[in-house]
Amino acid sequence: LESLQRLVGEVAPVHQEQSPASVTRHPAWDYSATWSPSGQTVAFVSERDGDPEIFVQNLESDSALQLTFNEEMDRRPAWSPDGKLIAFAAVRDGVEQIHLIRPDGTDEQIATPPNLRGTAPAWSPDSRRLAFIGWDADNHAGIYIIGPEIEDLVQLYHSTRWIGGLHWSADGAWLTFTAWQDGNHEVFALPADGGLPIRMSTHPAWDDSLVVNPAGQFSPPAPDTENVARAAASHRQAADGNFATGVNLADLGKAYLINDIGFGWGKGFVNWATVEPEAGNFRWIDPDNVVTALGDQQVKILLRVHGTPDWARPTDTSFTHPPDDMADFANFMTALASRYKGKVAAYEIWNEPNLYYEWGNGEPDPARYTEMLKAAYSAVKAVDPNALIITGGLATTGDGSATAYGDLAFLQAMYNAGAQGYFDAVGSHPYTFGRAPDEVDPWGLSLSRVAEQHQVMVDNGDGDTPIWITEMGWIIENSWEMGEHETSAVSEQEQARYLSGAYAKIRSDWPFVRAAFLFNLDFSTVPWYPAAEPMRWYSILNPDRTPRPAYTTLKNDMHPR
């Protein structure tokens, strides 16, 4: 208690024990609540209309008033101390800025200048100024204060690493924030009139969102060489050259979390259809961003390549349809591998090619897929011999169905078509459909399916070639209709245990598996997936970016002490 008092000021006495009371009672996710000055109303984020929106609700009411209406994302509301405005971070057309709105939902306006993105608003006690975390045109992060006038903009702090969780102390003297500085999340205090940030915590756990007790005296220690802009030392394991641990990543701004959790690989996505919309006309911005973001974190990169442009496939077909001429695909892979030679370590060719949907809604064709694989392998190796080629991760489908080709039969047919020697690893997606890692399903719908896939490889004289699990995960229970995923959902605690157990089992029981990529790190946090999208519920982060139990468990597994 004494150390807590030194950190956040005098602790207000608790006169009696009280249990938390639920303000909202909607089955959707409600989070990021902020009090009105009167203490009678809360503003919060809810996903009840399918995406994150701002709502307000009186404590005496059973219904909430929706303030924002859009199909992207509104988050991190902050109620002004005078009660007149709510500031929040709004994503519009893919750009996040600070918006203001009245508590009745009227007069929404943008508060930040057009050349500056912004998030995590925090009001000054007099409601005349607004602090926020911003990114300039060069993607450099900093803490800014705007006001009293709209043109009054000051940058207080510049950071080369992630920062968030911004709050303004009630006495107006301090801004507190979270920063990932030297391999860990720690909380800092920054003088509101400028100066050096002072580290307030030093612990290997994820520390976040320091809020100062308004009734206490907040007196951070004086800045010195030990506590200024330096976080706790990272406890990462040495990289294992024989096994790749990675994540499927959606938001490039969270690439640093790959290092935080202790993994060494990141998986990004390249859609041929958007990169080469016209033959020979390349738009590299998306893969450039992926390679830059992951490269800046010094993690190895796996790129999954998928999607056929309109000009390269039959008319009236979907982008998952294979190209008419595999030479077109080979030309694209040559351009891709040439651009990222020495930067991208591995390429995964297509996604789950044994599913009808992923093969243009037609019957999957292992011989045709083998042609694609050969074209990609030859093209990439010609310009970057060190880059690895991974087959498209096979969906675990047992003996097959009306919409899927059995994965073992598909793999055997690939060998029959001459695929051997044209890949460095077989990709696999051994989803367990809710089963524990040790459970073996007689139909093959379990993690142990990789052993059966490996046996096919052994039977074809290819037992020395490894398997890469490029997707692996468990969906958690939620209130949305999940379709085929409904019966597979597990609790958050089970997700944590199963993922931890899966990594342990793979490493101990199946030496032929040389990589396992978690699906997924953060799909729950991005605006382009609606609340009912099942992929969001495989994530190990909550929609507000806080870690689910699986994140903490895996991080502890990767950082033994």
Side-chain angles (χ1 to χ4, degrees):
L1 181 60
E2 289 178 354
S3 63
L4 182 63
Q5 288 175 334
R6 288 196 299 270
L7 181 63
V8 299
E10 182 181 356
V11 178
V14 178
H15 299 291
Q16 62 182 30
E17 291 187 5
Q18 294 182 337
S19 299
S22 178
V23 176
T24 64
R25 295 175 177 82
H26 196 279
W29 259 73
D30 297 335
Y31 52 95
S32 297
T34 178
W35 287 103
S36 67
S38 68
Q40 297 302 307
T41 306
V42 292
F44 59 96
V45 177
S46 179
E47 299 184 353
R48 59 188 66 183
D49 80 339
D51 58 81
E53 305 282 6
I54 306 298
F55 287 73
V56 295
Q57 183 168 332
N58 188 278
L59 298 186
E60 303 299 324
S61 174
D62 291 329
S63 61
L65 172 66
Q66 184 170 349
L67 303 189
T68 61
F69 299 84
N70 65 88
E71 295 182 355
E72 290 189 80
M73 178 177 284
D74 297 318
R75 54 189 175 186
R76 299 186 176 93
W79 210 311
S80 64
D82 63 10
K84 295 179 179 179
L85 292 169
I86 296 170
F88 62 97
V91 178
R92 301 289 185 269
D93 297 324
V95 177
E96 187 169 13
Q97 291 186 292
I98 304 301
H99 285 216
L100 304 176
I101 197 168
R102 297 192 183 280
D104 62 0
T106 62
D107 198 23
E108 182 176 348
Q109 55 189 293
I110 301 174
T112 44
N115 63 337
L116 194 63
R117 292 174 291 152
T119 191
W123 290 97
S124 64
D126 61 5
S127 301
R128 300 185 66 213
R129 294 180 294 165
L130 191 65
F132 63 95
I133 294 168
W135 291 266
D136 60 22
D138 295 321
N139 208 33
H140 296 149
I143 295 176
Y144 294 80
I145 293 180
I146 192 168
E149 303 300 327
I150 194 70
E151 63 270 14
D152 296 335
L153 180 68
V154 177
Q155 183 180 22
L156 287 188
Y157 177 61
H158 169 80
S159 177
T160 59
R161 300 295 183 92
W162 180 89
I163 52 177
L166 188 64
H167 297 275
W168 205 320
S169 65
D171 62 6
W174 295 92
L175 293 167
T176 60
F177 65 97
T178 307
W180 195 84
Q181 293 286 340
D182 292 330
N184 207 47
H185 291 91
E186 304 290 354
V187 290
F188 290 76
L190 177 70
D193 57 359
L196 297 173
I198 301 169
R199 190 182 74 244
M200 302 300 296
S201 66
T202 305
H203 195 279
W206 182 320
D207 296 332
D208 204 346
S209 298
L210 171 62
V211 179
V212 177
N213 178 5
Q217 295 294 321
F218 184 58
S219 300
D224 57 38
T225 57
E226 294 298 319
N227 66 13
V228 173
R230 192 181 73 182
S234 173
H235 296 281
R236 293 182 62 196
Q237 286 183 305
D240 185 346
N242 294 318
F243 190 84
T245 50
V247 301
N248 285 259
L249 179 74
D251 181 0
L252 298 179
K254 296 182 179 65
Y256 80 94
L257 291 175
I258 301 172
N259 280 320
D260 184 69
I261 201 171
F263 285 5
W265 285 70
K267 178 178 170 181
F269 308 92
V270 175
N271 187 343
W272 176 24
T274 59
V275 176
E276 193 181 8
E278 300 173 349
N281 179 21
F282 297 100
R283 300 176 182 176
W284 294 109
I285 184 170
D286 288 341
D288 278 355
N289 288 339
V290 171
V291 172
T292 298
L294 294 174
D296 285 349
Q297 297 303 320
Q298 299 180 14
V299 297
K300 292 186 176 181
I301 302 171
L302 168 65
L303 289 184
R304 190 189 80 190
V305 184
H306 63 277
T308 305
D310 291 344
W311 58 267
R313 56 181 164 86
T315 57
D316 299 323
T317 59
S318 77
F319 78 106
T320 63
H321 196 285
D324 291 324
D325 187 349
M326 290 302 173
D328 292 329
F329 185 59
N331 291 338
F332 175 72
M333 292 304 301
T334 296
L336 185 70
S338 298
R339 187 174 184 86
Y340 303 121
K341 180 179 180 180
K343 298 179 180 179
V344 172
Y347 297 91
E348 182 179 11
I349 309 305
W350 229 247
N351 181 56
E352 299 181 340
N354 60 319
L355 296 185
Y356 279 61
Y357 168 75
E358 299 289 359
W359 201 248
N361 295 307
E363 183 176 359
D365 186 343
R368 183 68 172 156
Y369 174 71
T370 297
E371 293 179 34
M372 174 183 285
L373 189 63
K374 288 181 175 181
Y377 184 93
S378 300
V380 171
K381 295 293 185 178
V383 296
D384 189 359
N386 293 323
L388 302 177
I389 297 297
I390 317 301
T391 72
L394 293 172
T396 303
T397 53
D399 292 333
S401 67
T403 59
Y405 201 121
D407 52 297
L408 300 185
F410 192 92
L411 181 58
Q412 180 59 57
M414 286 173 56
Y415 279 108
N416 295 344
Q420 186 171 351
Y422 288 94
F423 54 86
D424 296 296
V426 167
S428 181
H429 294 173
Y431 288 102
T432 72
F433 301 88
R435 297 175 181 85
D438 288 324
E439 186 176 349
V440 177
D441 177 65
W443 300 100
L445 306 181
S446 52
L447 187 65
S448 62
R449 189 63 162 184
V450 292
E452 297 176 79
Q453 292 168 350
H454 181 249
Q455 187 59 52
V456 173
M457 300 168 70
V458 171
D459 293 343
N460 285 275
D462 202 19
D464 290 336
T465 298
I467 288 176
W468 276 35
I469 296 175
T470 55
E471 287 185 21
M472 176 183 72
W474 278 262
I475 190 171
I476 62 172
E477 298 164 341
N478 61 86
S479 60
W480 297 100
E481 173 58 52
M482 291 285 105
E484 64 179 357
H485 301 268
E486 192 80 28
T487 58
S488 303
V490 300
S491 69
E492 290 189 359
Q493 291 71 28
E494 286 174 322
Q495 183 194 48
R497 291 199 308 271
Y498 290 176
L499 282 169
S500 177
Y503 275 102
K505 184 175 182 63
I506 291 165
R507 298 294 298 273
S508 65
D509 293 3
W510 300 317
F512 51 84
V513 177
R514 303 290 290 277
F517 284 73
L518 167 72
F519 189 86
N520 61 70
L521 176 67
D522 65 330
F523 285 36
S524 61
T525 69
V526 295
W528 52 87
Y529 291 131
E533 167 55 55
M535 289 189 293
R536 296 179 87 242
W537 301 96
Y538 281 90
S539 174
I540 60 171
L541 294 181
N542 288 309
D544 63 357
R545 189 192 157 277
T546 55
R548 286 175 175 157
Y551 185 100
T552 303
T553 298
L554 290 174
K555 181 175 180 178
N556 289 338
D557 290 346
M558 298 301 294
H559 298 74
R561 296 178 182 86

